[in-house]
Amino acid sequence: MKRYEKFADDIAELIRTGVLAAGQRVPSVRYASQTHGISPSTVFQAYYLLERRGLIRARPRSGYFVNDSVRLQGLSDDVTEQDVRPAPALSESTEVDVSELVFSVLESIKDPNTVPFGSAFPSAGLFPLQRLARSLASATRDMDPRMVVSDLSPGNPALRRQIALRYMVAGQMLPMDELLITNGALEALNLCLQAVTEPGDLVAIEAPAFYACLQVLERLKLKAVEIPVHPQQGIDLAVLEQALERYPIKACWSMTSFQNPTGATVPEARKRALVELLREHEVPLIEDDVYAELYYGQHAPKPAKAFDTEGLVLHCGSFAKSLAPGYRVGWVAAGRYAQKVERLKIMTSLCASMPAQAAIADYLQHGGYDRHLRKLRHSLEDQQRAMLGAIARYFPAQTRVSQPTGGYFLWVELPAQIDSLKVFQAALAQGISIAPGPMFSPTRRFQPFIRLNYGSPWGETPERAMETLGKIIRSMMAG
Ligand SMILES: Cc1ncc(COP(=O)(O)O)c(C=O)c1O
């Protein structure tokens, strides 16, 4: 019996014997983990199992509680119909409470010996870190002491100019005034959502969505209206339109290119239609475009921002995925919200790190960014091919998988009876991390899905890890 099963049984016994009464709160994940000497992810797994057995239930932001009508029979581990939540065309709004699951998964990928299929980052070995270090040294050596004042938000002018130039080369004229440098795209996304909403507001998000989006909603006390993402077409515009008509939605958050986790890219005509639809409803679009440079085709897909004439799109980008992980430099072109977002930035963290900004500005001018990007794109495309091959070799025949035209994630649909949280646990025990589907939904859908990262060079270790994953999944089908 696994540790989480044993712990779940112990709690079930407390419920059965009335020690934990109906409506009572069960120990928090952190507390249980400390007092029982088990990892938070083991506790979470146990609670998830108890939830599926109908014994406890999560209440947003409050923890887990014993169900009022506890079912004492049927304590089996089998998936019941009740577990398989249908994917409704248009969901009701949902309070968001995913952090426990997300943190337990993120914790698991910190170990450098773990095969990082569950990671959100590409391998650091793919980046020109030595060349960047030279830019950092030379930019800081020549740094004018007055920069500590002149480079406060909106940020280093040379860097903002370089970013505006890149927009221009891609065909988009962007006034530099719109650009604000942030501590990674994540801060930009946080500030943007904060700028356009009040606590309690409804936000249209993708289903599945990047888990950090869910966490931002959770932090800002916003409610999610989930809009399905089609593997080829991206966010479903018909459902979004229904949602905009039915609910007082205050913002829409979308990754229109190489969506995390599905890899979907919204075709250009639909991006235009998306902007038009949101314009009709006066709803701002927070566009997360952190993988913009990681395209495998001839050209980068245009962002929705390219079709925005009203300043309603807040376009967030980053160097973390394409050049300089760890430097924490991102940006937003915030349209008509630029001033508001900048003020929030000043109130939150004043400005982004000046040496990091100066280093990237120097690298963009002299370092050969485009050459590096061409190499990076080729590597990622080759690695995608290798991982798709491994899935074909080792995973069950019923497996379905996306084939994105950029980025570094595959979204894998396993046979319906497979619980990806169990795959996560079993794989972790063998030193392999994966990202299980439920971490991408506030309603914990996508149970038989996993997201796999192919951002590391291929070789014997990932190949064997994929073989092991395949075995784990097949064994769960047999059992
Ligand atoms: C889809 C997506 N958006 C935003 C971010 C955050 O980017 P940054 O590292 O620049 O804060 C990430 C990082 O994992 C991401 O995957």
Side-chain angles (χ1 to χ4, degrees), residues 124-203:
L126 296 173
F127 297 107
L129 298 179
Q130 293 299 329
R131 178 63 191 79
L132 264 171
R134 291 216 301 280
S135 277
L136 180 63
S138 97
T140 46
R141 198 180 318 113
D142 302 337
M143 208 158 138
D144 181 337
R146 284 171 300 187
M147 273 171 89
V148 293
V149 178
S150 66
D151 285 7
L152 291 180
S153 290
N156 180 310
L159 177 59
R160 287 164 59 236
R161 191 168 318 112
Q162 289 297 322
I163 295 172
L165 277 173
R166 294 194 73 80
Y167 276 98
M168 193 199 73
V169 169
Q172 212 177 330
M173 297 305 168
L174 198 80
M176 256 179 70
D177 298 350
E178 250 198 68
L179 279 172
L180 169 73
I181 308 297
T182 54
N183 296 320
L186 193 55
E187 187 186 43
L189 292 158
N190 267 274
L191 297 176
C192 290
L193 201 55
Q194 194 174 354
V196 300
T197 57
E198 299 288 338
D201 280 350
L202 269 54
V203 179

Side-chain angles (χ1 to χ4, degrees), residues 353-464:
S353 155
M354 289 178 192
Q357 292 185 68
I360 293 183
D362 182 275
Y363 179 87
L364 293 181
Q365 273 171 290
H366 311 293
Y369 188 34
D370 286 305
R371 201 175 339 110
H372 152 68
L373 284 174
R374 279 195 293 278
K375 217 168 123 206
L376 176 63
R377 291 175 195 132
H378 275 128
S379 303
L380 293 177
E381 197 177 4
D382 285 350
Q383 288 160 205
Q384 184 194 82
R385 218 170 287 127
M387 188 175 257
L388 284 169
I391 289 177
R393 276 190 293 285
Y394 305 124
F395 282 33
Q398 304 92 311
T399 304
R400 287 160 27 129
V401 61
S402 63
Q403 194 171 346
T405 52
Y408 47 87
F409 294 125
L410 295 180
W411 183 236
V412 184
E413 182 176 2
L414 302 171
Q417 73 267 38
I418 301 291
D419 179 346
S420 57
L421 284 163
K422 286 190 175 167
V423 179
F424 165 72
Q425 283 290 333
L428 199 56
Q430 307 232 32
I432 305 161
S433 76
I434 58 158
M439 74 190 280
F440 301 95
S441 161
T443 43
R444 305 227 173 104
R445 304 218 298 259
F446 308 107
Q447 180 188 291
F449 287 79
I450 57 176
R451 187 196 70 183
L452 296 178
N453 176 322
Y454 55 85
S456 297
W458 206 255
E460 194 55 18
T461 304
E463 182 72 25
R464 294 285 72 84

